[in-house]
Amino acid sequence: MSGGLLVAGTTSDAGKSVVTAGICRWLVRQGVKVAPFKAQNMSLNSFVTREGAEIGRAQAMQAQACRVEPTALMNPVLLKPGGEQSSQVVLLGRPVGELSARKYHGGRQQQLLGTVLDCLAELRGSHDAVICEGAGSPAEINLRRTDIVNMGIARNARLPVLVVGDIDRGGVFASFFGTVALLSREDQDLVAGFLVNKFRGDVSLLEPGLDMLHGLTGRRTYGVLPFRHGLGIDEEDGLRVSLRGAVRESEVAAPAGEDVLRVAVCAVPLMSNFTDVDALAAEPGVVVRFVDRPEELADADLVVVPGTRGTVRALEWLRERGLGDALVRRAAEGRPVLGICGGFQILGEHIEDEVESRRGDVDGLGVLPVRIRFAPEKTLARPVGEALGERVEGYEIHHGVADVTGGAPFLDGCRVGQTWGTHWHGSLESDGFRRAFLREVAAAAGRRFAPAPHTSFAALREEQLDRLGDLIEQHADTDALWRLIESGAPRGLPFIPPGAPA
């Protein structure tokens, strides 16, 4: 059996995904054959593997950090929220049904534990190390009984646990102590120590607190990672561009031409795979922002209507806010609009949906000659094609089947004037196509913008992953970390009362 580690967090967004990717990249640079694993992920940002399985994008990026091909084994359970209280359950890359949170935590989740453990065992049997990522906090005492992603899997697979805390939020010492103290004695035995994330300032001022934390818990801190801008990998959820951090706060590189290009992304409900615009944000001189008001489209050179897990709901949201009318006017004026997946469906003439929203027949915005019918089966594919004279690769994740009745062909969709629509996610990551598309947008918008000739999105991703690996190598105790991965949690760790309630 290979070595393993579970990276847990004091909260959601503490940095588990980033730390996991960083550890993976550090290990692979040491010649270790390593794989990522997240038993259960809740995210609307997903990816399609080469065998046609849907997994979380964070696990796909962690696989890239490991320099291995992503597979369904790395994320056996994916939950895709469809509303406040229900999610589509994707098991081993395929949707198996829609469940409420109560039904899922009431029994279905525990039934999946065997599958999850089998996947982890298979990965551990073929790799030197498997770095697992938890979800939320391991101290969610209301969910511990059915947990399969935090201490549930750590206990069953005997994984040592490293708890990550985001010190930038404040309260990190209380969070570390409270996390341990709310676990049962058996769970506490596996919590080896802590990792501080996003620290700003002089580490020597923090060290007395780390010493006191060690005295209180008997557990060491394995590293203090400094705050760095732009180090997120593909986010699970939230309005972010992963290569730049928060979009509204991003610094824009100097344009290659005389003008910048402004891109507005409609922040529709249940937005999925908004990482499609990462490649735009990576271009020098392209300014990307998320918008939710029609007046914010006025100065945009390109408007993107992104994917969504609720096409009809997003369509209604656009209409309620006046964005729907603004998009129709924009299309009529020949100003660039790009619809991706659910956004493509919204721009069409008609939607027949008895699957996702069960709203039946709904009129779309009518700016593209497309009729959409939602099928019970989900399309999961990795297409390759050509557009604007350039090779394009993408991936498809959708229930909607498009009947294109006019316009010029564009990938699997169509183009009318300067309005474009496709089901393909990830197409803008193809460098030649992205540059050709931006040249068309700039010409239509009257901007003297020129895409930089040598921007490589794949190279930027690799550079980012290397920076994550550098963080671990330079600011964590890697010798102690490797001993933890290889040998498990130290023995004789003290119990911190009160422990988990009965």
Side-chain angles (χ1 to χ4, degrees):
M1 185 64 71
S2 72
L5 175 70
L6 176 68
V7 179
T10 55
T11 63
S12 295
D13 203 31
K16 297 183 293 291
S17 296
V18 167
V19 168
T20 300
I23 293 174
C24 287
R25 178 48 61 102
W26 161 65
L27 285 172
V28 80
R29 292 196 308 206
Q30 310 309 308
V32 177
K33 186 179 181 183
V34 60
F37 181 78
K38 185 161 185 173
Q40 172 193 293
N41 198 347
M42 178 173 280
S43 178
L44 288 172
N45 275 341
S46 57
F47 180 78
V48 179
T49 67
R50 293 206 180 276
E51 68 265 28
E54 185 179 8
I55 65 172
R57 275 196 69 97
Q59 280 61 66
M61 285 291 286
Q62 289 162 357
Q64 185 175 347
C66 297
R67 298 183 178 138
V68 297
E69 191 67 32
T71 73
L73 294 174
M74 297 171 184
N75 179 207
V77 182
L78 173 64
L79 305 179
K80 303 193 72 176
E84 294 298 322
Q85 297 185 1
S86 67
S87 294
Q88 183 181 68
V89 180
V90 179
L91 179 61
L92 293 174
R94 298 288 173 179
V96 294
E98 196 93 11
L99 287 180
S100 68
R102 179 176 294 275
K103 287 183 178 178
Y104 183 69
H105 289 285
R108 177 60 169 159
Q109 185 180 34
Q110 191 66 15
Q111 294 170 9
L112 298 173
L113 179 60
T115 299
V116 162
L117 291 172
D118 288 345
C119 291
L120 176 57
E122 188 169 342
L123 285 175
R124 296 183 79 179
S126 56
H127 293 81
D128 301 324
V130 177
I131 308 303
C132 307
E133 178 188 344
S137 162
E140 291 169 349
I141 54 179
N142 56 315
L143 302 177
R144 176 61 185 92
R145 182 177 62 85
T146 57
D147 171 51
I148 65 170
V149 64
N150 291 307
M151 300 313 298
I153 192 166
R155 282 268 292 278
N156 278 278
R158 303 308 300 169
L159 293 170
V161 178
L162 185 68
V163 180
V164 177
D166 180 353
I167 198 170
D168 198 46
R169 294 181 173 187
V172 74
F173 290 117
S175 298
F176 281 146
F177 184 88
T179 296
V180 178
L182 278 176
L183 299 178
S184 69
R185 185 181 298 273
E186 294 79 7
D187 286 351
Q188 287 191 27
D189 284 344
L190 294 172
V191 178
F194 313 107
L195 188 76
V196 176
N197 191 30
K198 298 183 183 177
F199 179 72
R200 306 173 192 249
D202 186 343
V203 176
S204 67
L205 298 177
L206 184 68
E207 286 172 347
L210 300 178
D211 292 339
M212 285 185 275
L213 181 66
H214 183 267
L216 287 165
T217 66
R219 290 158 175 86
R220 60 167 300 171
T221 298
Y222 283 76
V224 178
L225 307 185
F227 186 95
R228 293 286 188 267
H229 286 284
L231 277 183
I233 62 170
D234 288 9
E235 303 291 335
E236 292 189 353
D237 285 302
L239 296 184
R240 286 179 180 265
V241 170
S242 66
L243 286 173
R244 288 262 179 88
V247 181
R248 294 180 187 274
E249 299 173 1
S250 64
E251 296 180 4
V252 180
E258 297 179 46
D259 287 345
V260 298
L261 207 63
R262 296 174 175 85
V263 179
V265 185
C266 296
V268 298
L270 298 174
M271 193 187 325
S272 63
N273 290 74
F274 56 84
T275 46
D276 283 328
V277 299
D278 279 11
L280 295 178
E283 281 287 346
V286 175
V287 185
V288 179
R289 67 185 190 273
F290 288 95
V291 303
D292 57 9
R293 297 187 299 272
E295 55 269 25
E296 293 181 289
L297 304 188
D299 67 343
D301 302 307
L302 169 67
V303 174
V304 178
V305 188
T308 171
R309 172 85 162 86
T311 297
V312 172
R313 177 177 169 184
L315 174 59
E316 291 172 343
W317 182 88
L318 289 167
R319 283 181 166 140
E320 288 166 2
R321 291 177 170 262
L323 284 160
D325 288 341
L327 287 167
V328 172
R329 288 194 301 272
R330 186 180 178 91
E333 293 166 0
R335 303 180 66 199
V337 177
L338 171 64
I340 302 173
C341 200
F344 168 44
Q345 297 166 5
I346 285 168
L347 296 176
E349 297 170 342
H350 184 264
I351 299 168
E352 180 188 335
D353 182 10
E354 298 291 352
V355 175
E356 192 174 76
S357 69
R358 297 182 174 86
R359 294 287 297 277
D361 294 339
V362 178
D363 289 333
L365 294 182
V367 296
L368 287 177
V370 178
R371 299 177 70 85
I372 300 293
R373 177 184 58 82
F374 275 72
E377 302 79 21
K378 181 185 284 191
T379 297
L380 297 169
R382 289 277 294 269
V384 177
E386 185 176 303
L388 302 179
E390 299 286 346
R391 186 177 187 273
V392 187
E393 295 185 26
Y395 58 99
E396 296 183 67
I397 307 169
H398 54 90
H399 284 278
V401 178
D403 178 18
V404 180
T405 60
F410 175 63
L411 301 177
D412 70 331
C414 66
R415 168 189 182 180
V416 174
Q418 289 300 318
T419 302
W420 317 64
T422 177
H423 272 132
W424 290 21
H425 294 290
S427 62
L428 294 168
E429 296 177 18
S430 297
D431 297 327
F433 166 71
R434 181 181 65 255
R435 288 192 276 269
F437 177 70
L438 290 176
R439 282 192 289 268
E440 290 241 1
V441 168
R447 294 282 185 189
R448 290 173 295 181
F449 167 86
H454 303 301
T455 301
S456 166
F457 187 71
L460 287 170
R461 273 186 165 169
E462 276 295 304
E463 177 186 317
Q464 185 185 42
L465 291 168
D466 276 332
R467 291 175 66 200
L468 292 177
D470 292 343
L471 268 187
I472 298 298
E473 190 167 334
Q474 295 167 12
H475 300 281
D477 185 339
T478 52
D479 289 340
L481 198 57
W482 176 246
R483 287 195 299 272
L484 191 62
I485 293 168
E486 190 175 40
S487 304
R491 296 190 178 188
L493 293 169
F495 171 70
I496 307 302

